[in-house]
PDB file of all heavy atoms in Angstrom:
ATOM      1  N   ASN A   1     -17.550  -6.864 -15.175  1.00 95.00           N
ATOM      2  CA  ASN A   1     -18.715  -6.099 -15.613  1.00 95.00           C
ATOM      3  C   ASN A   1     -18.509  -5.866 -17.110  1.00 95.00           C
ATOM      4  O   ASN A   1     -17.800  -4.954 -17.503  1.00 95.00           O
ATOM      5  CB  ASN A   1     -18.813  -4.771 -14.855  1.00 95.00           C
ATOM      6  CG  ASN A   1     -20.096  -4.034 -15.173  1.00 95.00           C
ATOM      7  OD1 ASN A   1     -21.066  -4.630 -15.635  1.00 95.00           O
ATOM      8  ND2 ASN A   1     -20.104  -2.727 -14.946  1.00 95.00           N
ATOM      9  N   GLY A   2     -19.108  -6.733 -17.910  1.00 92.00           N
ATOM     10  CA  GLY A   2     -18.780  -6.724 -19.329  1.00 92.00           C
ATOM     11  C   GLY A   2     -17.416  -7.365 -19.514  1.00 92.00           C
ATOM     12  O   GLY A   2     -17.164  -8.476 -19.054  1.00 92.00           O
ATOM     13  N   GLU A   3     -16.518  -6.663 -20.168  1.00 93.00           N
ATOM     14  CA  GLU A   3     -15.175  -7.189 -20.392  1.00 93.00           C
ATOM     15  C   GLU A   3     -14.173  -6.741 -19.325  1.00 93.00           C
ATOM     16  O   GLU A   3     -13.067  -7.271 -19.245  1.00 93.00           O
ATOM     17  CB  GLU A   3     -14.664  -6.731 -21.776  1.00 93.00           C
ATOM     18  CG  GLU A   3     -15.488  -7.251 -22.947  1.00 93.00           C
ATOM     19  CD  GLU A   3     -15.478  -8.773 -23.010  1.00 93.00           C
ATOM     20  OE1 GLU A   3     -14.396  -9.354 -22.813  1.00 93.00           O
ATOM     21  OE2 GLU A   3     -16.546  -9.367 -23.251  1.00 93.00           O
ATOM     22  N   ALA A   4     -14.564  -5.755 -18.513  1.00 95.00           N
ATOM     23  CA  ALA A   4     -13.634  -5.181 -17.528  1.00 95.00           C
ATOM     24  C   ALA A   4     -13.886  -5.761 -16.142  1.00 95.00           C
ATOM     25  O   ALA A   4     -15.010  -6.162 -15.816  1.00 95.00           O
ATOM     26  CB  ALA A   4     -13.784  -3.667 -17.497  1.00 95.00           C
ATOM     27  N   PRO A   5     -12.863  -5.794 -15.286  1.00 96.00           N
ATOM     28  CA  PRO A   5     -13.076  -6.207 -13.894  1.00 96.00           C
ATOM     29  C   PRO A   5     -14.080  -5.275 -13.209  1.00 96.00           C
ATOM     30  O   PRO A   5     -14.074  -4.067 -13.454  1.00 96.00           O
ATOM     31  CB  PRO A   5     -11.681  -6.082 -13.276  1.00 96.00           C
ATOM     32  CG  PRO A   5     -10.732  -6.164 -14.420  1.00 96.00           C
ATOM     33  CD  PRO A   5     -11.436  -5.526 -15.575  1.00 96.00           C
ATOM     34  N   LEU A   6     -14.922  -5.844 -12.364  1.00 97.00           N
ATOM     35  CA  LEU A   6     -15.917  -5.031 -11.666  1.00 97.00           C
ATOM     36  C   LEU A   6     -15.243  -4.023 -10.738  1.00 97.00           C
ATOM     37  O   LEU A   6     -15.697  -2.885 -10.606  1.00 97.00           O
ATOM     38  CB  LEU A   6     -16.865  -5.928 -10.871  1.00 97.00           C
ATOM     39  CG  LEU A   6     -17.933  -5.231 -10.037  1.00 97.00           C
ATOM     40  CD1 LEU A   6     -18.808  -4.324 -10.894  1.00 97.00           C
ATOM     41  CD2 LEU A   6     -18.791  -6.253  -9.301  1.00 97.00           C
ATOM     42  N   ILE A   7     -14.150  -4.433 -10.087  1.00 96.00           N
ATOM     43  CA  ILE A   7     -13.388  -3.505  -9.240  1.00 96.00           C
ATOM     44  C   ILE A   7     -12.208  -2.995 -10.056  1.00 96.00           C
ATOM     45  O   ILE A   7     -11.374  -3.774 -10.516  1.00 96.00           O
ATOM     46  CB  ILE A   7     -12.910  -4.193  -7.953  1.00 96.00           C
ATOM     47  CG1 ILE A   7     -14.112  -4.456  -7.031  1.00 96.00           C
ATOM     48  CG2 ILE A   7     -11.879  -3.327  -7.227  1.00 96.00           C
ATOM     49  CD1 ILE A   7     -13.758  -5.135  -5.734  1.00 96.00           C
ATOM     50  N   LYS A   8     -12.145  -1.672 -10.220  1.00 95.00           N
ATOM     51  CA  LYS A   8     -11.090  -1.124 -11.074  1.00 95.00           C
ATOM     52  C   LYS A   8      -9.920  -0.531 -10.296  1.00 95.00           C
ATOM     53  O   LYS A   8      -8.853  -0.303 -10.866  1.00 95.00           O
ATOM     54  CB  LYS A   8     -11.652  -0.085 -12.040  1.00 95.00           C
ATOM     55  CG  LYS A   8     -12.185   1.196 -11.407  1.00 95.00           C
ATOM     56  CD  LYS A   8     -12.687   2.124 -12.506  1.00 95.00           C
ATOM     57  CE  LYS A   8     -13.234   3.425 -11.965  1.00 95.00           C
ATOM     58  NZ  LYS A   8     -13.727   4.314 -13.031  1.00 95.00           N
ATOM     59  N   SER A   9     -10.098  -0.259  -9.016  1.00 94.00           N
ATOM     60  CA  SER A   9      -8.982   0.268  -8.229  1.00 94.00           C
ATOM     61  C   SER A   9      -9.226   0.020  -6.750  1.00 94.00           C
ATOM     62  O   SER A   9     -10.372  -0.170  -6.323  1.00 94.00           O
ATOM     63  CB  SER A   9      -8.785   1.770  -8.482  1.00 94.00           C
ATOM     64  OG  SER A   9      -9.888   2.513  -7.984  1.00 94.00           O
ATOM     65  N   ALA A  10      -8.127  -0.011  -5.989  1.00 94.00           N
ATOM     66  CA  ALA A  10      -8.212  -0.194  -4.534  1.00 94.00           C
ATOM     67  C   ALA A  10      -7.352   0.858  -3.862  1.00 94.00           C
ATOM     68  O   ALA A  10      -6.270   1.193  -4.351  1.00 94.00           O
ATOM     69  CB  ALA A  10      -7.743  -1.594  -4.138  1.00 94.00           C
ATOM     70  N   HIS A  11      -7.855   1.410  -2.754  1.00 93.00           N
ATOM     71  CA  HIS A  11      -7.116   2.434  -2.020  1.00 93.00           C
ATOM     72  C   HIS A  11      -7.130   2.079  -0.540  1.00 93.00           C
ATOM     73  O   HIS A  11      -8.170   1.744   0.033  1.00 93.00           O
ATOM     74  CB  HIS A  11      -7.755   3.818  -2.225  1.00 93.00           C
ATOM     75  CG  HIS A  11      -7.116   4.897  -1.421  1.00 93.00           C
ATOM     76  ND1 HIS A  11      -5.859   5.395  -1.697  1.00 93.00           N
ATOM     77  CD2 HIS A  11      -7.563   5.578  -0.333  1.00 93.00           C
ATOM     78  CE1 HIS A  11      -5.564   6.337  -0.813  1.00 93.00           C
ATOM     79  NE2 HIS A  11      -6.576   6.464   0.022  1.00 93.00           N
ATOM     80  N   TYR A  12      -5.958   2.151   0.080  1.00 93.00           N
ATOM     81  CA  TYR A  12      -5.790   1.801   1.495  1.00 93.00           C
ATOM     82  C   TYR A  12      -5.672   3.057   2.342  1.00 93.00           C
ATOM     83  O   TYR A  12      -4.880   3.948   2.055  1.00 93.00           O
ATOM     84  CB  TYR A  12      -4.518   0.953   1.648  1.00 93.00           C
ATOM     85  CG  TYR A  12      -4.087   0.678   3.071  1.00 93.00           C
ATOM     86  CD1 TYR A  12      -4.899  -0.020   3.954  1.00 93.00           C
ATOM     87  CD2 TYR A  12      -2.821   1.093   3.507  1.00 93.00           C
ATOM     88  CE1 TYR A  12      -4.475  -0.293   5.251  1.00 93.00           C
ATOM     89  CE2 TYR A  12      -2.389   0.820   4.801  1.00 93.00           C
ATOM     90  CZ  TYR A  12      -3.226   0.139   5.673  1.00 93.00           C
ATOM     91  OH  TYR A  12      -2.809  -0.128   6.956  1.00 93.00           O
ATOM     92  N   ARG A  13      -6.496   3.133   3.390  1.00 91.00           N
ATOM     93  CA  ARG A  13      -6.434   4.253   4.336  1.00 91.00           C
ATOM     94  C   ARG A  13      -6.136   3.675   5.727  1.00 91.00           C
ATOM     95  O   ARG A  13      -7.036   3.118   6.365  1.00 91.00           O
ATOM     96  CB  ARG A  13      -7.750   5.034   4.348  1.00 91.00           C
ATOM     97  CG  ARG A  13      -7.706   6.311   5.202  1.00 91.00           C
ATOM     98  CD  ARG A  13      -9.067   6.973   5.260  1.00 91.00           C
ATOM     99  NE  ARG A  13      -9.464   7.523   3.990  1.00 91.00           N
ATOM    100  CZ  ARG A  13      -9.207   8.755   3.572  1.00 91.00           C
ATOM    101  NH1 ARG A  13      -8.543   9.573   4.361  1.00 91.00           N
ATOM    102  NH2 ARG A  13      -9.632   9.167   2.399  1.00 91.00           N
ATOM    103  N   PRO A  14      -4.866   3.760   6.177  1.00 91.00           N
ATOM    104  CA  PRO A  14      -4.515   3.150   7.460  1.00 91.00           C
ATOM    105  C   PRO A  14      -5.166   3.871   8.639  1.00 91.00           C
ATOM    106  O   PRO A  14      -5.384   5.089   8.598  1.00 91.00           O
ATOM    107  CB  PRO A  14      -2.994   3.287   7.506  1.00 91.00           C
ATOM    108  CG  PRO A  14      -2.685   4.462   6.627  1.00 91.00           C
ATOM    109  CD  PRO A  14      -3.716   4.435   5.545  1.00 91.00           C
ATOM    110  N   SER A  15      -5.459   3.123   9.666  1.00 90.00           N
ATOM    111  CA  SER A  15      -5.981   3.706  10.899  1.00 90.00           C
ATOM    112  C   SER A  15      -4.876   4.458  11.613  1.00 90.00           C
ATOM    113  O   SER A  15      -3.693   4.341  11.282  1.00 90.00           O
ATOM    114  CB  SER A  15      -6.527   2.608  11.812  1.00 90.00           C
ATOM    115  OG  SER A  15      -5.453   1.788  12.253  1.00 90.00           O
ATOM    116  N   ARG A  16      -5.240   5.208  12.633  1.00 88.00           N
ATOM    117  CA  ARG A  16      -4.248   5.909  13.440  1.00 88.00           C
ATOM    118  C   ARG A  16      -3.280   4.899  14.077  1.00 88.00           C
ATOM    119  O   ARG A  16      -2.076   5.142  14.169  1.00 88.00           O
ATOM    120  CB  ARG A  16      -4.958   6.731  14.520  1.00 88.00           C
ATOM    121  CG  ARG A  16      -4.038   7.465  15.466  1.00 88.00           C
ATOM    122  CD  ARG A  16      -3.245   8.545  14.751  1.00 88.00           C
ATOM    123  NE  ARG A  16      -4.086   9.636  14.289  1.00 88.00           N
ATOM    124  CZ  ARG A  16      -3.642  10.665  13.584  1.00 88.00           C
ATOM    125  NH1 ARG A  16      -2.354  10.727  13.258  1.00 88.00           N
ATOM    126  NH2 ARG A  16      -4.448  11.618  13.189  1.00 88.00           N
ATOM    127  N   GLN A  17      -3.793   3.763  14.493  1.00 89.00           N
ATOM    128  CA  GLN A  17      -2.947   2.728  15.086  1.00 89.00           C
ATOM    129  C   GLN A  17      -1.928   2.217  14.073  1.00 89.00           C
ATOM    130  O   GLN A  17      -0.733   2.106  14.377  1.00 89.00           O
ATOM    131  CB  GLN A  17      -3.807   1.569  15.573  1.00 89.00           C
ATOM    132  CG  GLN A  17      -3.015   0.446  16.224  1.00 89.00           C
ATOM    133  CD  GLN A  17      -3.891  -0.746  16.552  1.00 89.00           C
ATOM    134  OE1 GLN A  17      -4.521  -1.329  15.668  1.00 89.00           O
ATOM    135  NE2 GLN A  17      -3.973  -1.088  17.826  1.00 89.00           N
ATOM    136  N   SER A  18      -2.385   1.900  12.861  1.00 90.00           N
ATOM    137  CA  SER A  18      -1.472   1.385  11.839  1.00 90.00           C
ATOM    138  C   SER A  18      -0.419   2.424  11.473  1.00 90.00           C
ATOM    139  O   SER A  18       0.763   2.091  11.286  1.00 90.00           O
ATOM    140  CB  SER A  18      -2.259   0.974  10.596  1.00 90.00           C
ATOM    141  OG  SER A  18      -3.092  -0.135  10.869  1.00 90.00           O
ATOM    142  N   ARG A  19      -0.834   3.684  11.400  1.00 89.00           N
ATOM    143  CA  ARG A  19       0.127   4.733  11.048  1.00 89.00           C
ATOM    144  C   ARG A  19       1.195   4.856  12.135  1.00 89.00           C
ATOM    145  O   ARG A  19       2.381   5.014  11.841  1.00 89.00           O
ATOM    146  CB  ARG A  19      -0.593   6.075  10.849  1.00 89.00           C
ATOM    147  CG  ARG A  19      -1.444   6.125   9.589  1.00 89.00           C
ATOM    148  CD  ARG A  19      -1.814   7.562   9.219  1.00 89.00           C
ATOM    149  NE  ARG A  19      -2.632   8.210  10.223  1.00 89.00           N
ATOM    150  CZ  ARG A  19      -3.963   8.123  10.274  1.00 89.00           C
ATOM    151  NH1 ARG A  19      -4.612   7.379   9.377  1.00 89.00           N
ATOM    152  NH2 ARG A  19      -4.653   8.752  11.189  1.00 89.00           N
ATOM    153  N   PHE A  20       0.788   4.787  13.404  1.00 91.00           N
ATOM    154  CA  PHE A  20       1.763   4.893  14.490  1.00 91.00           C
ATOM    155  C   PHE A  20       2.733   3.714  14.478  1.00 91.00           C
ATOM    156  O   PHE A  20       3.955   3.895  14.592  1.00 91.00           O
ATOM    157  CB  PHE A  20       1.047   4.976  15.842  1.00 91.00           C
ATOM    158  CG  PHE A  20       1.977   4.796  17.009  1.00 91.00           C
ATOM    159  CD1 PHE A  20       2.944   5.754  17.295  1.00 91.00           C
ATOM    160  CD2 PHE A  20       1.919   3.652  17.807  1.00 91.00           C
ATOM    161  CE1 PHE A  20       3.829   5.593  18.354  1.00 91.00           C
ATOM    162  CE2 PHE A  20       2.794   3.477  18.859  1.00 91.00           C
ATOM    163  CZ  PHE A  20       3.753   4.448  19.128  1.00 91.00           C
ATOM    164  N   TYR A  21       2.200   2.500  14.367  1.00 91.00           N
ATOM    165  CA  TYR A  21       3.068   1.321  14.360  1.00 91.00           C
ATOM    166  C   TYR A  21       4.076   1.377  13.216  1.00 91.00           C
ATOM    167  O   TYR A  21       5.263   1.080  13.395  1.00 91.00           O
ATOM    168  CB  TYR A  21       2.229   0.046  14.235  1.00 91.00           C
ATOM    169  CG  TYR A  21       1.502  -0.354  15.491  1.00 91.00           C
ATOM    170  CD1 TYR A  21       0.569  -1.386  15.476  1.00 91.00           C
ATOM    171  CD2 TYR A  21       1.722   0.307  16.702  1.00 91.00           C
ATOM    172  CE1 TYR A  21      -0.113  -1.762  16.631  1.00 91.00           C
ATOM    173  CE2 TYR A  21       1.050  -0.059  17.850  1.00 91.00           C
ATOM    174  CZ  TYR A  21       0.129  -1.087  17.814  1.00 91.00           C
ATOM    175  OH  TYR A  21      -0.541  -1.455  18.957  1.00 91.00           O
ATOM    176  N   GLN A  22       3.600   1.768  12.032  1.00 91.00           N
ATOM    177  CA  GLN A  22       4.498   1.807  10.878  1.00 91.00           C
ATOM    178  C   GLN A  22       5.531   2.925  11.016  1.00 91.00           C
ATOM    179  O   GLN A  22       6.699   2.754  10.663  1.00 91.00           O
ATOM    180  CB  GLN A  22       3.691   1.971   9.590  1.00 91.00           C
ATOM    181  CG  GLN A  22       2.882   0.733   9.236  1.00 91.00           C
ATOM    182  CD  GLN A  22       2.173   0.864   7.905  1.00 91.00           C
ATOM    183  OE1 GLN A  22       2.549   1.674   7.066  1.00 91.00           O
ATOM    184  NE2 GLN A  22       1.147   0.051   7.696  1.00 91.00           N
ATOM    185  N   ARG A  23       5.112   4.065  11.526  1.00 90.00           N
ATOM    186  CA  ARG A  23       6.062   5.170  11.696  1.00 90.00           C
ATOM    187  C   ARG A  23       7.122   4.800  12.753  1.00 90.00           C
ATOM    188  O   ARG A  23       8.304   5.122  12.585  1.00 90.00           O
ATOM    189  CB  ARG A  23       5.333   6.454  12.099  1.00 90.00           C
ATOM    190  CG  ARG A  23       6.224   7.693  11.980  1.00 90.00           C
ATOM    191  CD  ARG A  23       5.509   8.915  12.499  1.00 90.00           C
ATOM    192  NE  ARG A  23       4.500   9.422  11.603  1.00 90.00           N
ATOM    193  CZ  ARG A  23       4.752  10.227  10.564  1.00 90.00           C
ATOM    194  NH1 ARG A  23       5.993  10.588  10.284  1.00 90.00           N
ATOM    195  NH2 ARG A  23       3.782  10.668   9.814  1.00 90.00           N
ATOM    196  N   PHE A  24       6.679   4.100  13.806  1.00 91.00           N
ATOM    197  CA  PHE A  24       7.637   3.677  14.834  1.00 91.00           C
ATOM    198  C   PHE A  24       8.669   2.717  14.237  1.00 91.00           C
ATOM    199  O   PHE A  24       9.864   2.812  14.528  1.00 91.00           O
ATOM    200  CB  PHE A  24       6.892   3.009  15.997  1.00 91.00           C
ATOM    201  CG  PHE A  24       7.792   2.510  17.091  1.00 91.00           C
ATOM    202  CD1 PHE A  24       8.312   3.378  18.042  1.00 91.00           C
ATOM    203  CD2 PHE A  24       8.144   1.156  17.154  1.00 91.00           C
ATOM    204  CE1 PHE A  24       9.165   2.914  19.045  1.00 91.00           C
ATOM    205  CE2 PHE A  24       8.997   0.692  18.154  1.00 91.00           C
ATOM    206  CZ  PHE A  24       9.506   1.570  19.106  1.00 91.00           C
ATOM    207  N   GLN A  25       8.224   1.795  13.407  1.00 90.00           N
ATOM    208  CA  GLN A  25       9.141   0.834  12.798  1.00 90.00           C
ATOM    209  C   GLN A  25      10.109   1.495  11.827  1.00 90.00           C
ATOM    210  O   GLN A  25      11.200   0.968  11.577  1.00 90.00           O
ATOM    211  CB  GLN A  25       8.354  -0.268  12.085  1.00 90.00           C
ATOM    212  CG  GLN A  25       7.592  -1.188  13.049  1.00 90.00           C
ATOM    213  CD  GLN A  25       6.593  -2.085  12.350  1.00 90.00           C
ATOM    214  OE1 GLN A  25       6.441  -2.023  11.133  1.00 90.00           O
ATOM    215  NE2 GLN A  25       5.911  -2.922  13.114  1.00 90.00           N
TER     216      GLN A  25
END
């Protein structure tokens, strides 16, 4: 967008399933 990337940041919000699997590991 002009000289800058159109997407300036990304944020990840894990699901309850992903949070459980990762915490278990």
Side-chain angles (χ1 to χ4, degrees):
N1 187 20
E3 297 299 317
L6 178 57
I7 289 180
K8 66 179 180 180
S9 67
H11 175 71
Y12 171 61
R13 186 185 292 270
S15 66
R16 178 66 68 183
Q17 181 186 59
S18 293
R19 289 196 297 274
F20 168 67
Y21 285 172
Q22 290 184 21
R23 193 185 285 277
F24 179 79
Q25 291 168 359

